[in-house]
Amino acid sequence: MKPIFLCLTLLLAGCKLTGSAETDAKPLVSPGPRPLYLLQALPDDDLKQRLQACKTQPFYRHDFSIGHRGAPLMFAEHSKQSYQAAIDMGAGIVECDVAFTADKQLVCRHAQCDLHQTTDILLRPELAAKCAEPFSPAEPANGKAASARCCTSDISVAEFSGLCAKMDGVNPHAQNVADYVQGTPGWRTDLYSQCATPMTHQDSVALFKQQGVKMTPELKQPQVPMPYSGGYRQQDYAQQLVDEYKAAGVAPSQVYLQSFNWQDILYWLEHEPEFGRQAVWLDGRYEQPDFNPMQSRSWQPSMAELKASGLNIIAPPLWLLVTEQDGKIVPSAYAKAAKAAGLEIIAWSLERSAPLAQGKDWYYQSLPTLAKHDGVVLQLLDVLARDVGVTAVFSDWPGTTTFYANCLLGDGSF
């Protein structure tokens, strides 16, 4: 039996492949079947041949692969199970989006006020009664959708930790709560969402540290007025995030702080420079009324100004980094300008989309004629890595980014 297959057979017994010190230090991981499914959708070209040649090789954790909210294509986002799935698929970096509770404790949640669609809070009457906006049924006669609004700041951290995380989604046509919370899109799955475990930020730090992966928390914009109860300011919120890493003994090199709020980035650069030097600015300039991805004069502040302020890493959505030219995916003017300014680029978020054959998708809007089949996921990934030169890519199914990175990139660190 060949050594690689013997090793895979004996993996549970602690077998390690012989090789470099770099690979010996990393656990074998399993990207799973999805990358091979996407591979079959590729045309018979050089990229397909290069990726097919990797199918039977061992796979290792890779920093190019970031678990966006864990692995929420199939696991309840920001749950222990979702994080573990991302790690098992080889994500070298995993994300905890950070919000705060009524008692000012940090928890992993994509938005402060999404508990009604990502947990079972509405099915718990004692907690549902605390929601900022209670459940309201749909009214088909006047076109009103069913609604609710439940925030982390409505409950304590203990109450949050007692919830069950579920797949993100609600049924806007629901007449009752039980139907309302059954809103998982058909292209995702509830198979692995049986009372998933929600995580505090400290829980996530402990898990990621124990598993040996890097951490990229996003400080979410508060959806309550700041300063919050008792004078809790935005600066306190930003500092508390860093303090929890310090308390856990996590080195700044292992943490990539994120925020859409430029003032958060400036705060970290000034007050926590060791963490701030690899803070990630999530670029939301595309929401500016006069923003044009092809005209640099509409990007305010400019790429050069961002770099001069101390920023080193910028993170735009996928579509800002590419465009179509002569039937091919090519780097955009935005991507070229960011690289010219000396900024590292992280892209978001791969595989957060319905099958591309279903039609237009926000993440692929700059590829209107090419994004017609799921093989484009791998084509886009290849352009981002080789031509744009991104440092890493967020994905809702990090097995795909792990597979690509192990096949065609380097040793896995940045």
Side-chain angles (χ1 to χ4, degrees):
M1 182 180 291
K2 293 182 179 180
I4 182 173
F5 296 110
L6 176 62
C7 183
L8 292 174
T9 302
L10 301 177
L11 181 60
L12 293 179
C15 172
K16 289 175 62 179
L17 291 170
T18 58
S20 70
E22 177 67 31
T23 56
D24 282 351
K26 296 181 180 180
L28 283 166
V29 298
S30 174
R34 180 165 171 79
L36 302 183
Y37 160 78
L38 296 173
L39 184 57
Q40 295 309 308
L42 281 175
D44 291 326
D45 58 9
D46 177 65
L47 176 61
K48 187 170 187 174
Q49 292 176 8
R50 287 185 293 127
L51 291 175
Q52 281 181 326
C54 301
K55 292 197 300 184
T56 59
Q57 74 173 46
F59 293 91
Y60 299 92
R61 185 177 295 155
H62 205 292
D63 285 359
F64 181 80
S65 180
I66 304 179
H68 179 243
R69 316 186 197 184
L73 187 65
M74 296 189 187
F75 293 81
E77 65 182 45
H78 295 306
S79 67
K80 182 178 181 179
Q81 291 79 3
S82 187
Y83 291 151
Q84 190 62 57
I87 293 167
D88 291 342
M89 283 189 280
I93 308 172
V94 187
E95 178 188 48
C96 165
D97 291 329
V98 174
F100 57 83
T101 59
D103 46 354
K104 306 184 190 70
Q105 298 300 304
L106 303 183
V107 296
C108 299
R109 200 80 341 230
H110 178 66
Q112 188 168 28
C113 295
D114 73 1
L115 294 183
H116 55 283
Q117 64 191 58
T118 62
T119 75
D120 66 346
I121 190 170
L122 289 174
L123 299 177
R124 301 171 182 254
E126 73 284 2
L127 296 182
K130 298 184 178 184
C131 288
E133 297 176 12
F135 171 72
S136 177
E139 298 177 10
N142 61 21
K144 177 183 175 297
S147 64
R149 187 170 184 264
C150 302
C151 307
T152 58
S153 51
D154 294 334
I155 58 176
S156 70
V157 68
E159 291 168 329
F160 172 87
S161 295
L163 296 172
C164 292
K166 74 175 192 70
M167 296 299 284
D168 183 14
V170 295
N171 176 3
H173 308 294
Q175 296 293 309
N176 58 69
V177 168
D179 289 342
Y180 181 69
V181 299
Q182 299 299 319
T184 304
W187 47 275
R188 290 181 179 158
T189 178
D190 287 311
L191 185 62
Y192 306 111
S193 186
Q194 310 304 310
C195 194
T197 307
M199 301 285 279
T200 68
H201 178 246
Q202 291 181 1
D203 290 338
S204 77
V205 172
L207 174 64
F208 300 160
K209 186 177 180 182
Q210 188 272 328
Q211 293 285 319
V213 297
K214 296 177 182 177
M215 313 169 199
T216 184
E218 179 188 343
L219 197 72
K220 302 303 295 190
Q221 188 65 25
Q223 295 182 330
V224 294
M226 299 290 279
Y228 183 60
S229 174
Y232 185 64
R233 304 168 302 158
Q234 183 72 25
Q235 299 95 315
D236 300 323
Y237 180 32
Q239 186 62 52
Q240 183 179 358
L241 179 61
V242 175
D243 288 345
E244 292 196 353
Y245 288 104
K246 290 181 173 180
V250 177
S253 63
Q254 302 301 297
V255 182
Y256 296 85
L257 304 173
Q258 304 176 73
S259 182
F260 276 99
N261 184 344
W262 180 240
Q263 295 305 312
D264 292 337
I265 303 296
L266 292 178
Y267 177 86
W268 291 322
L269 285 168
E270 179 179 355
H271 297 279
E272 293 291 349
E274 289 190 331
F275 286 88
R277 69 171 54 102
Q278 60 183 36
V280 180
W281 185 46
L282 299 164
D283 190 355
R285 287 177 293 176
Y286 57 83
E287 294 185 340
Q288 296 174 357
D290 60 348
F291 179 86
N292 184 328
M294 304 302 293
Q295 296 180 354
S296 60
R297 64 178 179 271
S298 72
W299 312 338
Q300 298 300 325
S302 71
M303 297 292 187
E305 288 170 336
L306 292 173
K307 180 64 176 177
S309 70
L311 182 71
N312 291 310
I313 308 174
I314 194 168
L318 299 172
W319 64 269
L320 267 183
L321 293 170
V322 293
T323 188
E324 297 181 355
Q325 182 177 309
D326 300 327
K328 296 182 179 179
I329 303 172
V330 297
S332 67
Y334 175 105
K336 294 174 182 177
K339 295 299 288 187
L343 294 170
E344 294 185 40
I345 304 172
I346 294 176
W348 50 272
S349 293
L350 207 70
E351 299 183 279
R352 192 161 181 79
S353 307
L356 294 177
Q358 292 185 12
K360 294 181 179 179
D361 182 90
W362 187 86
Y363 289 94
Y364 293 82
Q365 60 185 278
S366 62
L367 305 175
T369 65
L370 296 179
K372 301 295 186 183
H373 61 84
D374 285 347
V376 173
V377 171
L378 293 174
Q379 292 173 329
L380 173 59
L381 197 54
D382 191 49
V383 171
L384 290 173
R386 293 199 303 158
D387 300 330
V388 174
V390 301
T391 299
V393 177
F394 283 93
S395 178
D396 279 26
W397 197 246
T400 300
T401 41
T402 298
F403 178 86
Y404 176 88
N406 273 261
C407 285
L408 301 181
L409 300 181
D411 64 14
S413 299
F414 76 89

